[in-house]
Amino acid sequence: MAEIEVIDSSGLLTEEELNEFIRHAGHLEHPREMIIDILRTVQKNHGWVPDSGIELTARILGLTPLEVEEIATFYDKIFRHPVGRHVIHICDSICCWSRGGEELAAHLQQRLQIEFGQTTADGLFTLLPSCCLGGCGKAPGVMIGQTFYGELTPDKVDRLLAELSQEAQE
Amino acid sequence: MRDTPQLLFKNRRPGETVFMAGYRASGGYEALEKAFRQMSPAELRELVKASALRGRGGAGFPTGVKWTFFPADKPGPKYLVCNCDEMEPGTYKDGELLMADPHQLVEGMIVSAYALQTDVGYIFIRYAYEKQAENLRRAIAEARDAGYIGKDILGSGFDFELHVHGSAGRYILGEETALLNGLEGQRPNPRLKPPFPAVKGLFGRPTTVNNVETIANIPHIINGGAVWFKDLALTADGSGTKLFGLSGHLNRTECFELPVGIPLREVVETYGQGVWQGRKFKACLPGGASTPYLTPEHLDVALDFSTLEAVGSRFGTAGVTVFDDRTCMVAATLNLIRFFARESCGWCTPCRDGLSMVRWLLETIEGGRGRPEHLAMLKEQFHNISGTSFCALAEGAMGPLSGLLTHFEQEIVDHIEKGGCPFRS
Ligand SMILES: Cc1cc2nc3c(=O)[nH]c(=O)nc-3n(C[C@H](O)[C@H](O)[C@H](O)COP(=O)(O)O)c2cc1C
Ligand code: SF4
Ligand code: FES
């Protein structure tokens, strides 16, 4: 335990979050179940999960970095590389496909001047394809951060991008 | 429009979520009070069995029967896990339920846990449902304040804790044993069965995994009784109401609570308000991305588990995705196969390599480079993958492929003969 107390979370977790995770891990019979929780919190604070985030998670839970890494890399909503300020997940599954999802994806790539997996030069947007987002009745849709936007058209998506760019400048 | 009693969507109002006060005003937690004060766990399990409720997570296994496999009397930790992964394209009903009325699931979890004598419950929820997860956390806190969660609930001597566990994407987590691995913080590949989770589940202990809608139905069954619940369905084989999530080429794509056994035509014409842009109905997925297509000849079939099986499809999750007459069914199937191939966990060869092969074949045919032998190769892959995969993901992927081969083989032939997609001008 003494070792854990000297963990440096170097901005990946707040002091409070770190202490809460350590306390919680101490109460659980199987602390491993917290892996995704910690990784998601690191990502919320830092935008993505750097190597130091994997190591930090491993130390809190008493695991090896490799054990954390093999979990982190399984999930497509955990980023192991830097991403833009806003990650746009565009749904490419069947309901969105049936209502103009491909056209919307092409429009987004053209508007942002990037391909899937890339980040805009100003670091504002990363574009990623995603499977169904659970908004199938409001197709086509995207998720930005953890907010779903549905019934999109190229015009509506342009307005959304403009709002987010505007926000970033304020 | 039908006069279907609204159980699960009773409190649904556009853009609103009902919490404790509103839930109580609608009769919420009366079932829990009744269960804890008047019924034994064994009586509750009998009631659920008599209601003929079938699992709403896709496979449709009778819930009461599943519960009889559970060693409720075995001492030591046991778990109730609620599956809210809901990542199958076309399926969004559980998300709608949790946006409208999260206490239903919380009440259902508590009484189900009591029936099964499990001391800890987890609600496993997908990454994209952050708002729903917040709703659940608030509802759980309210239930705890009311004395429904914690130690010695209503003086019954029964203790129960309930946690929300957030995921981070990947469809395979919906498969119940992969979900258990994921929840434990292990790599979420499915587990070999047997042993089934009822014997050896979460952390090696007896575990029941049930869908959100399944569990949300339990309080209603306690309130209304098994016979009442069973008779809500329109067909003798069915039971209860069902949340139908409409999507695709319909004028109205919303989620409705309708009786099990409602004819497809009524769902399409009355609730979906017909096919969009004045076009014709060509096909639909009746129950999510893993179900074989229905065609116009099926418009009068009753939507329930056994009727749909009899016509070569599946009720699944009742996510009805409709395609109009301008849809290329090769392209639609390609989209679906791409989803399954990308979401494969890679554990077993029929799925990892077989789905990639199917995807390649459909890409080649749709792209105008198809040759006559490719149709035979598709059939061969269908045959190779069916029944051979480690879990039901690859089996599910064979749903739309089987629909394509059964109902739209001519479209494949047309692509090959024309050297391109006849639907793209
Ligand atoms: C690939 C795959 C994904 C699944 N996804 C879900 C899901 O998101 N939600 C769900 O309840 N069941 C899902 N299932 C079915 C579950 O494995 C399990 O049968 C179900 O949760 C049992 O609950 P029920 O009996 O209440 O339906 C999935 C199955 C497979 C093979
Ligand atoms: S069928 Fe697919 S998802 Fe299931 S175990 Fe095999 S590779 Fe993994
Ligand atoms: S298919 Fe796009 S949100 Fe479900």
Side-chain angles (χ1 to χ4, degrees):
Chain A
M1 272 322 202
E3 198 192 357
I4 283 181
E5 273 147 30
V6 298
I7 288 180
D8 171 17
S9 66
S10 50
L12 296 176
L13 296 175
T14 65
E15 193 97 342
E16 252 184 351
E17 285 164 346
L18 177 67
N19 290 334
E20 178 53 26
F21 280 133
I22 291 172
R23 192 193 62 80
H24 195 55
H27 285 259
L28 289 175
E29 202 180 329
H30 312 276
R32 261 191 101 109
E33 70 176 85
M34 294 165 59
I35 292 184
I36 296 295
D37 259 353
I38 302 177
L39 291 173
R40 280 181 58 169
T41 309
V42 167
Q43 183 159 297
K44 180 182 67 123
N45 296 340
H46 187 74
W48 58 289
V49 180
D51 289 349
S52 54
I54 298 287
E55 284 153 20
L56 176 64
T57 307
R59 295 204 51 196
I60 295 172
L61 299 176
L63 301 168
T64 65
L66 185 66
E67 285 174 305
V68 177
E69 179 76 330
E70 68 167 5
I71 306 302
T73 53
F74 194 92
Y75 293 94
D76 70 341
K77 302 296 186 290
I78 302 283
F79 312 130
R80 283 290 281 115
H81 287 285
V83 288
R85 175 138 163 196
H86 299 290
V87 177
I88 305 176
H89 291 280
I90 175 163
C91 172
D92 59 11
S93 291
I94 192 73
C95 313
C96 292
W97 174 87
S98 76
R99 295 186 72 118
E102 282 181 342
E103 292 76 12
L104 193 69
H107 178 80
L108 265 168
Q109 296 186 45
Q110 206 255 329
R111 225 353 270 290
L112 297 171
Q113 291 288 307
I114 50 173
E115 314 252 321
F116 278 129
Q118 296 182 336
T119 299
T120 51
D122 58 6
L124 214 47
F125 298 107
T126 298
L127 187 62
L128 292 173
S130 172
C131 64
C132 178
L133 297 165
C136 321
K138 294 195 161 53
V142 303
M143 181 172 76
I144 304 180
Q146 278 179 307
T147 308
F148 178 80
Y149 301 88
E151 292 173 333
L152 292 176
T153 57
D155 278 353
K156 280 199 211 167
V157 104
D158 284 349
R159 264 177 276 147
L160 187 57
L161 294 181
E163 272 170 42
L164 293 168
S165 307
Q166 180 72 30
E167 247 174 56
Q169 279 168 15
E170 279 161 11
Chain B
M1 291 271 158
R2 270 177 193 272
D3 218 2
T4 309
Q6 300 290 288
L7 329 180
L8 303 164
F9 276 174
K10 178 166 55 180
N11 292 322
R12 187 168 68 148
R13 312 271 178 279
E16 279 179 41
T17 308
V18 160
F19 287 100
M20 188 57 103
Y23 187 59
R24 272 202 200 284
S26 73
Y29 288 105
E30 280 172 17
L32 182 145
E33 300 265 352
K34 181 174 168 190
F36 275 80
R37 297 192 198 285
Q38 297 169 29
M39 299 177 75
S40 71
E43 276 170 344
L44 279 167
R45 297 198 296 270
E46 270 313 305
L47 176 75
V48 172
K49 201 166 160 191
S51 76
L53 170 67
R54 290 177 69 166
R56 304 310 200 207
F61 196 80
T63 307
V65 175
K66 187 170 178 173
W67 284 13
T68 59
F69 301 148
F70 191 78
D73 299 328
K74 183 174 168 166
K78 295 185 286 297
Y79 299 98
L80 173 62
V81 175
C82 174
N83 189 343
C84 186
D85 193 60
E86 194 162 71
M87 283 184 66
E88 178 133 327
T91 306
Y92 60 99
K93 64 186 180 76
D94 296 337
E96 296 274 314
L97 190 151
L98 295 177
M99 284 308 284
D101 200 0
H103 269 288
Q104 276 186 102
L105 177 59
V106 174
E107 182 179 8
M109 285 295 283
I110 303 166
V111 291
S112 303
Y114 175 64
L116 296 165
Q117 294 289 294
T118 58
D119 21 35
V120 180
Y122 285 93
I123 300 170
F124 184 97
I125 191 161
R126 65 174 293 179
Y127 183 87
Y129 285 173
E130 188 55 21
K131 189 84 194 78
Q132 287 88 339
E134 275 170 33
N135 289 347
L136 278 171
R137 288 192 195 100
R138 175 168 161 190
I140 289 169
E142 287 178 336
R144 184 186 306 281
D145 288 344
Y148 298 144
I149 293 178
K151 295 250 172 257
D152 190 23
I153 297 166
L154 301 185
S156 63
F158 177 72
D159 306 337
F160 182 60
E161 275 306 322
L162 182 54
H163 308 289
V164 176
H165 183 102
S167 185
R170 298 310 297 275
Y171 170 61
I172 189 59
L173 277 292
E175 198 281 332
E176 60 180 3
T177 60
L179 183 151
L180 297 177
N181 275 334
L183 187 39
E184 287 182 4
Q186 312 286 349
R187 202 164 164 94
N189 296 105
R191 296 177 181 173
L192 185 67
K193 292 193 271 194
F196 288 90
V199 177
K200 195 164 182 267
L202 192 63
F203 306 122
R205 300 290 310 167
T207 304
T208 291
V209 182
N210 277 123
N211 170 262
V212 173
E213 187 185 348
T214 309
I215 293 180
N217 267 307
I218 306 291
H220 299 290
I221 294 171
I222 295 171
N223 284 328
V227 175
W228 166 82
F229 184 81
K230 180 142 189 3
D231 288 349
L232 289 171
L234 299 182
T235 42
D237 192 57
S239 62
T241 59
K242 180 78 197 72
L243 302 181
F244 287 82
L246 277 50
S247 61
H249 298 150
L250 290 168
N251 284 314
R252 197 166 65 175
T253 52
E254 288 172 29
C255 191
F256 297 96
E257 180 171 6
L258 299 168
V260 169
I262 189 170
L264 175 60
R265 185 185 302 280
E266 203 178 321
V267 171
V268 170
E269 289 174 5
T270 307
Y271 293 92
Q273 294 182 353
V275 179
W276 71 341
Q277 299 174 5
R279 297 186 196 159
K280 288 199 177 63
F281 176 94
K282 178 172 185 177
C284 78
L285 296 159
S290 63
T291 55
Y293 301 118
L294 298 179
T295 60
E297 67 180 289
H298 299 120
L299 276 165
D300 294 308
V301 301
L303 299 176
D304 72 17
F305 290 103
S306 53
T307 311
L308 285 178
E309 247 155 61
V311 299
S313 188
R314 288 196 309 116
F315 194 31
T317 58
V320 181
T321 308
V322 169
F323 301 105
D324 68 21
D325 51 357
R326 293 199 199 172
T327 310
C328 169
M329 297 313 289
V330 175
T333 311
L334 171 58
N335 175 282
L336 289 156
I337 292 290
R338 277 187 178 142
F339 161 79
F340 288 108
R342 192 170 73 195
E343 290 303 314
S344 165
C345 83
W347 193 253
C348 62
T349 314
C351 179
R352 183 188 58 242
D353 291 1
L355 293 187
S356 302
M357 184 69 180
V358 172
R359 183 185 58 201
W360 180 84
L361 285 166
L362 291 174
E363 273 167 1
T364 303
I365 294 166
E366 176 64 12
R369 288 162 281 117
R371 293 193 308 266
E373 62 268 30
H374 289 150
L375 176 58
M377 286 165 77
L378 262 183
K379 290 181 179 170
E380 191 189 349
Q381 285 304 319
F382 174 75
H383 183 74
N384 286 348
I385 296 169
S386 299
T388 59
S389 58
F390 189 70
C391 86
L393 183 141
E395 199 65 35
M398 293 301 97
L401 182 61
S402 104
L404 181 73
L405 291 170
T406 312
H407 302 296
F408 300 104
E409 184 174 322
Q410 191 55 45
E411 270 187 35
I412 304 175
V413 173
D414 290 347
H415 275 76
I416 294 172
E417 284 177 355
K418 185 171 176 260
C421 176
F423 293 88
R424 288 180 204 247
S425 44

